[in-house]
Amino acid sequence: MNRFTRRHLTATAMTVVALTIGTTACSSGDGTTSAKAEDDGSYTIWDPYPQFDKGSDWAKLLDGCGSKAGVKTKRTAFDTSDLTNKALLAAQQANSPDVLILDNPVVSTLAEAGVLSTTDENKVDTSKVDPNLLAAGQAGGKTYGTPIGANTLALYYNKDVLKAAGVDIASVKGWKSLTAALAKVKKAGKKGITFSAIGTEEGSFQFLPWFWGAGAKLTELGSPQAVSALSLWSDWLKKGYAPNSVINNTQTTSWQEFVSGDYAFAENGTWQLAGAEKAGFDYGVLPIPGTDGGNAAAPTGGEFVTVPVQGDTGRYATTRKLVSCLTSTENLYDTDTTLSYVAPTSEVRDKQVATDAELKPWVEAVKAAKGRTSDDLGTKYPKISEQLWKAVQSALSGSKSPKEALTAAQDAVK
């Protein structure tokens, strides 16, 4: 077993830990952030869902899984931005929780820091999970958890706007046909497409389906395929098919533009489904097309259930029962419905679609999805992503051509 001691923390992790002092968290327990504060024999669970209080179905599920495993559970909920730092600090103090639920891009960071045990060590079963979703929790040939669910991006479309412009959504199969649809929409006096190209991870997140849809790789930012993807977005702005506001749009503000009713398309995620139902117009959902058709790989969002390294490895047997309960077929269905997630297993997804047929395009999008840290990028991804969003900003603002912007991005990564 890879027992954790302070010396296993990398220098980068130690720097992050130093920044955690003074942060706060919401808790359904006693408010402490210590994983073993009372040493009362309970098993601790940390999650990024502070929106769910003690009386929520989520909290009841955790308690129920504890009862089935014959133990009490003590849950603490953090904001996503705080959770990574708190987990690193707890590991430094040999005080990690038993179960840690993390945003999937963070898994490789904590794995590299020596915080997480592998599924070979803790014996958590991942055999039913789709390989493309499981890859987000893998690094160096090892798996460090199992996804609790996934969300991703697709194109919402306004049926009324497309009908008025004479666009048949069935004709939109690739970039050429999508651009032709946007041209018709503009000619009809409406607006084409809105998305988020802000200079943060949100901008990279939204650009990746087009980047990957062109056949580009994150290890080759300056490739002709990458340039074609950025040229697509740049040309849309130049032709007025997308608004200049996308440069500063978050996913929330771009969604607000779409629900105004003037736009034909919006790139956004499963988390907007409830808002779409309230928008006041008929809408549909289309997986983001690749350059020549088919579904582009969109980045996966969602969390992984992980098991931090424990000095007492005897705890893993009970922890495994807790993880198995949380990710069981029955509980995944309820949890993913609550979180607006698509399930990571085909069995649960089939049940979701049988209950709600409108989830079908999202299921197709998730099947094609890809983890941002996949391809064994791990902790290299944040640096690559930063240069990618900077390139997008440069090209869309007109300060550089797409080729110049991406060549500079690749040079900066090297």
Side-chain angles (χ1 to χ4, degrees):
M1 280 306 168
N2 175 26
R3 292 171 182 261
F4 185 87
T5 63
R6 294 189 186 192
R7 65 177 177 275
H8 283 99
L9 275 179
T10 63
T12 300
M14 289 291 286
T15 300
V16 176
V17 167
L19 299 176
T20 65
I21 306 302
T23 54
T24 59
C26 297
S27 173
S28 62
D30 58 7
T32 180
T33 59
S34 175
K36 309 288 189 304
E38 297 177 3
D39 195 23
D40 59 2
S42 61
Y43 277 66
T44 51
I45 301 173
W46 288 3
D47 69 50
Y49 310 130
Q51 69 271 32
F52 298 134
D53 61 20
K54 289 181 181 180
S56 67
D57 289 340
W58 170 249
K60 291 176 181 177
L61 171 60
L62 298 182
D63 289 340
C65 286
S67 295
K68 288 181 180 179
V71 297
K72 291 183 178 180
T73 57
K74 184 183 296 181
R75 175 212 177 203
T76 306
F78 297 88
D79 289 329
T80 299
S81 58
D82 289 339
L83 186 55
T84 303
N85 292 340
K86 291 294 188 183
L88 286 164
L89 181 60
Q92 183 195 22
Q93 298 170 341
N95 195 32
S96 293
D98 294 287
V99 178
L100 181 60
I101 302 174
L102 296 165
D103 193 17
N104 74 70
V106 178
V107 174
S108 58
T109 299
L110 295 191
E112 184 177 291
V115 175
L116 304 178
S117 63
T118 69
T119 53
D120 284 341
E121 292 169 338
N122 57 49
K123 307 302 180 185
V124 168
D125 182 13
T126 61
S127 60
K128 293 183 179 180
V129 178
D130 284 11
N132 67 313
L133 301 181
L134 191 62
Q138 295 174 326
K142 297 178 180 180
T143 303
Y144 290 91
T146 188
I148 199 167
N151 55 32
T152 194
L153 297 165
L155 294 180
Y156 288 86
Y157 59 88
N158 185 320
K159 293 182 179 181
D160 296 334
V161 170
L162 292 182
K163 183 177 180 180
V167 175
D168 180 2
I169 193 63
S171 69
V172 179
K173 298 183 180 297
W175 292 3
K176 185 176 180 179
S177 55
L178 175 58
T179 301
L182 297 178
K184 286 185 177 181
V185 168
K186 183 185 177 185
K187 187 175 181 180
K190 290 292 186 178
K191 299 176 181 179
I193 186 169
T194 181
F195 47 86
S196 169
I198 194 170
T200 67
E201 176 61 22
E202 278 189 85
S204 292
F205 187 75
Q206 290 238 319
F207 182 59
L208 279 174
W210 312 95
F211 182 88
W212 284 331
K217 299 178 180 179
L218 286 170
T219 52
E220 301 174 14
L221 294 183
S223 70
Q225 294 89 343
V227 172
S228 71
L230 189 48
S231 296
L232 178 74
W233 272 19
S234 179
D235 288 346
W236 283 350
L237 264 68
K238 289 176 183 177
K239 294 177 180 178
Y241 299 162
N244 289 326
S245 59
V246 299
I247 295 175
N248 296 312
N249 268 350
T250 64
Q251 293 180 106
T252 298
T253 55
S254 67
W255 181 254
Q256 290 168 347
E257 290 178 336
F258 178 66
V259 295
S260 70
D262 292 330
Y263 283 85
F265 296 94
E267 179 183 357
N268 229 294
T270 51
W271 51 90
Q272 301 291 9
L273 278 170
E277 295 292 340
K278 300 175 182 177
F281 54 79
D282 288 337
Y283 75 94
V285 178
L286 178 74
I288 296 172
T291 179
D292 295 320
N295 297 339
T300 56
E303 289 78 40
F304 264 61
V305 184
T306 68
V307 178
V309 173
Q310 300 292 336
D312 177 7
T313 57
R315 297 181 71 86
Y316 290 148
T318 298
T319 300
R320 182 168 63 252
K321 293 179 182 178
L322 294 174
V323 175
S324 296
C325 177
L326 291 175
T327 58
S328 68
T329 297
E330 177 184 358
N331 290 331
L332 272 180
Y333 177 79
D334 293 335
T335 298
D336 289 339
T337 299
T338 298
L339 298 174
S340 293
Y341 282 169
V342 173
T345 66
S346 59
E347 184 178 2
V348 181
R349 284 198 302 269
D350 290 347
K351 185 176 179 181
Q352 288 180 307
V353 173
T355 303
D356 184 358
E358 291 185 359
L359 287 176
K360 187 174 181 179
W362 290 109
V363 167
E364 294 304 313
V366 164
K367 285 181 179 179
K370 184 175 181 177
R372 284 162 277 176
T373 58
S374 297
D375 299 328
D376 214 24
L377 288 178
T379 54
K380 298 176 185 175
Y381 173 74
K383 183 177 181 180
I384 294 171
S385 176
E386 181 180 3
Q387 296 307 320
L388 188 60
W389 81 58
K390 286 181 177 179
V392 170
Q393 288 271 297
S394 294
L396 298 192
S397 67
S399 63
K400 292 180 181 177
S401 70
K403 184 176 181 179
E404 290 170 341
L406 287 167
T407 298
Q410 184 60 46
D411 290 343
V413 169
K414 288 181 179 179

